């Protein structure tokens, strides 16, 4: 069965939105608006799988909404909302908890990383996170999901859940006239530059909101002088930049900075190296500061302007939630028919 093409993706309101989120997700979200119907969600139910200060969470939620809009997402043509306003996400996640297998969730590397050594003390929500993510996507029967490299494994699990639901309930899906398969198998959209932006302090670690060192990331809320300071202090090695991409192979920090430059400039890494091959990091970093400030400065200013009017942001989220819920409610009705749950 051919499914209507639709994009879904989410960002957690866990504070410190950074350059990795921008290049790995937001830039792609904006580009996809031209070709697809898009639903972009601030996944606050995911955020609370680890402790969030209730006094900070609303601000972090509005900050992601402001970043979406400031980067160029059109909340009128597409849908922008926060997850907890559409209860169907949690409802479908429960059904998916009953479809997904323990063995599948046991293999998820993000849980292992986030739970760390104190696994017994991690929340059940953190463990079941991938079921909720599958529900986020599939409650809209979305076909394409733009994400960074780190989310690839979760997306594969979403496909496994969709496939198992379609198989387990196949006769019921057909009996209710929903065709051969009810859920599409969502495709990850991971291609493009900067699918994995690394920490400025350690080229082996991804840039992350939860890194204890603020120097490890460029936040979208950083002012120009903070951006300059962080790039100048970014870890590098003593050699000049190579003239060709192969020369970056065992130099993760250099590779990361060249990758960031290329992604911000909309150029390929080899083109950047053609220009900067042989240069010292001091002059390359100066050029990177200029480029990063030119690209992120206007976004930062627009986010500030939007954040000054939380009532407006809340109304954008409420309108988005209303439109999202129409689609989600229709899916849940069908899912209840298919599973055999009596409903109104
Ligand atoms: N370093 C990164 N490079 C490229 N893409 C990235 N993404 C995150 N980090 C990088 C992508 O950003 C989107 C939103 O991510 P998220 O907020 O939902 O969760 P996350 O992946 O857990 O982000 P963080 O920064 O790593 O948060 P913490 O530290 O809380 O775990 C996703 O599409 C993600 O791929």
């Amino acid at each position: 069965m051919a499914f209507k093409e639709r994009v879904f993706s989410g960002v957690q309101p866990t504070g410190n939105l950074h350059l990795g989120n921008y290049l790995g997700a937001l830039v792609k979200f904006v580009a996809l608006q031209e070709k697809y119907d898009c639903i972009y969600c601030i996944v606050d139910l995911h955020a609370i799988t680890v402790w969030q200060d209730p006094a900070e969470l609303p601000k972090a939620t509005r900050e992601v909404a402001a970043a979406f809009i400031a980067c160029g997402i059109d909340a009128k043509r597409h849908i922008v909302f926060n997850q907890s306003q559409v209860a169907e996400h949690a409802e479908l996640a429960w059904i998916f908890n009953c479809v997904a297998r323990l063995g599948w969730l046991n293999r998820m590397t993000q849980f292992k990383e986030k739970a760390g050594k104190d696994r017994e003390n991690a929340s059940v929500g953190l463990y079941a996170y991938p079921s909720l993510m599958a529900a986020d996507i599939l409650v809209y029967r979305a076909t394409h999901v733009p994400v960074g490299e780190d989310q690839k494994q979760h997306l594969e699990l979403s496909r496994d859940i969709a496939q198992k639901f379609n198989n387990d309930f196949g006769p019921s899906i057909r009996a209710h006239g929903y065709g051969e398969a009810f859920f599409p198998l969502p495709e990850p959209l991971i291609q493009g530059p900067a699918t994995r932006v690394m920490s400025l302090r350690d080229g082996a670690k991804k840039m992350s909101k939860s890194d204890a060192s603020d120097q490890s990331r460029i936040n979208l809320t950083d002012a120009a002088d903070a951006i300059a300071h962080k790039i100048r202090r970014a870890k590098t090695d003593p050699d000049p930049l190579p003239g060709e991409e192969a020369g970056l192979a065992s130099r993760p920090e250099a590779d990361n900075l060249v990758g960031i430059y290329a992604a911000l400039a909309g150029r390929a890494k080899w083109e950047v190296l053609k220009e900067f091959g042989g240069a010292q990091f001091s002059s390359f970093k100066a050029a990177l500061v200029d480029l990063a400030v030119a690209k992120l400065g206007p976004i930062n200013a627009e986010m500030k302007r939007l954040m000054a009017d939380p009532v407006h942001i809340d109304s954008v989220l409420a309108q988005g939630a209303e439109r999202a819920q129409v689609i989600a409610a229709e899916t849940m009705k069908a899912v209840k028919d298919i599973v055999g749950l009596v409903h109104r």
Side-chain angles (χ1 to χ4, degrees):
M1 173 180 163
F3 290 91
K4 180 181 172 338
E5 292 199 320
R6 177 178 281 149
V7 162
F8 176 93
S9 197
V11 173
Q12 295 188 70
T14 36
N16 302 329
L17 264 188
H18 54 72
L19 186 66
N21 300 132
Y22 174 69
L23 292 173
L26 299 182
V27 169
K28 291 177 188 157
F29 292 4
V30 172
L32 289 165
Q33 299 183 104
E34 297 312 315
K35 190 165 165 215
Y36 297 98
D37 281 342
C38 301
I39 302 178
Y40 295 130
C41 185
I42 301 148
V43 287
D44 47 8
L45 296 177
H46 282 284
I48 61 168
T49 56
V50 295
W51 171 252
Q52 302 298 326
D53 181 346
E56 293 296 321
L57 188 55
K59 180 170 171 268
T61 301
R62 293 183 188 114
E63 190 176 290
V64 179
F68 280 176
I69 299 165
C71 288
I73 290 168
D74 182 343
K76 288 206 172 75
R77 269 178 56 215
H78 300 276
I79 295 180
V80 170
F81 71 107
N82 61 307
Q83 186 185 25
S84 60
Q85 293 208 54
V86 180
E88 284 79 358
H89 288 241
E91 207 177 357
L92 185 57
W94 180 258
I95 303 220
F96 285 171
N97 277 339
C98 303
V99 173
R101 307 287 94 181
L102 273 180
W104 300 358
L105 289 170
N106 284 339
R107 284 194 286 275
M108 294 298 111
T109 52
Q110 184 172 294
F111 174 75
K112 290 179 196 158
E113 281 163 22
K114 291 205 170 179
K117 290 200 181 73
D118 199 9
R119 210 182 140 108
E120 294 295 307
N121 211 20
S123 74
V124 175
L126 187 66
Y127 185 75
Y129 184 114
S131 288
L132 180 58
M133 179 163 157
D136 298 337
I137 299 163
L138 294 169
V139 84
Y140 303 104
R141 300 213 277 170
T143 52
H144 295 81
V145 186
V147 280
E149 192 70 43
D150 58 322
Q151 292 300 326
K152 193 168 169 222
Q153 194 186 34
H154 283 166
L155 211 46
E156 276 160 10
L157 192 90
S158 297
R159 290 169 62 88
D160 291 343
I161 290 175
Q163 180 81 67
K164 184 160 163 52
F165 182 96
N166 287 341
N167 288 345
D168 289 356
F169 295 103
S172 184
I173 291 169
R174 289 185 284 279
H176 283 91
Y178 292 117
E180 287 300 307
F182 183 70
F183 287 120
L185 306 188
E187 296 278 345
L189 297 175
I190 304 184
Q191 312 85 326
T195 53
R196 192 168 170 83
V197 177
M198 309 309 277
S199 156
L200 298 181
R201 307 302 303 158
D202 179 354
K205 261 169 62 183
K206 78 163 187 156
M207 189 176 283
S208 160
K209 298 187 195 113
S210 54
D211 195 313
S213 164
D214 193 56
Q215 296 298 318
S216 68
R217 65 181 160 260
I218 294 175
N219 301 306
L220 294 188
T221 49
D222 281 343
D225 54 348
I227 295 175
H229 182 72
K230 288 176 179 178
I231 292 176
R232 272 194 235 108
R233 286 200 54 202
K235 186 174 169 203
T236 45
D237 54 47
D239 297 332
L241 281 168
E244 286 174 10
E245 240 181 295
L248 294 171
S250 52
R251 301 175 63 188
E253 283 85 14
D255 188 25
N256 190 36
L257 291 184
V258 171
I260 291 173
Y261 190 103
L264 284 172
R267 288 159 69 186
K269 280 199 229 178
W270 67 265
E271 289 178 285
V272 176
L273 292 176
K274 213 168 144 199
E275 185 180 339
F276 290 98
Q280 295 297 329
F281 272 104
S282 51
S283 62
F284 177 66
K285 281 179 169 179
L288 182 55
V289 167
D290 289 346
L291 178 62
V293 169
K295 288 280 174 190
L296 301 179
I299 294 171
N300 180 311
E302 182 61 3
M303 277 175 72
K304 255 197 196 137
R305 193 186 68 77
L306 290 161
M307 290 290 285
D309 188 357
V311 175
H312 172 68
I313 295 185
D314 290 1
S315 84
V316 170
L317 295 175
Q319 284 168 35
E322 224 169 88
R323 289 161 56 213
Q325 190 151 35
V326 173
I327 307 169
E330 199 185 318
T331 304
M332 273 321 293
K333 236 173 118 184
V335 166
K336 285 178 180 172
D337 284 340
I338 291 166
V339 175
L341 303 172
V342 175
H343 63 92
R344 279 173 277 142

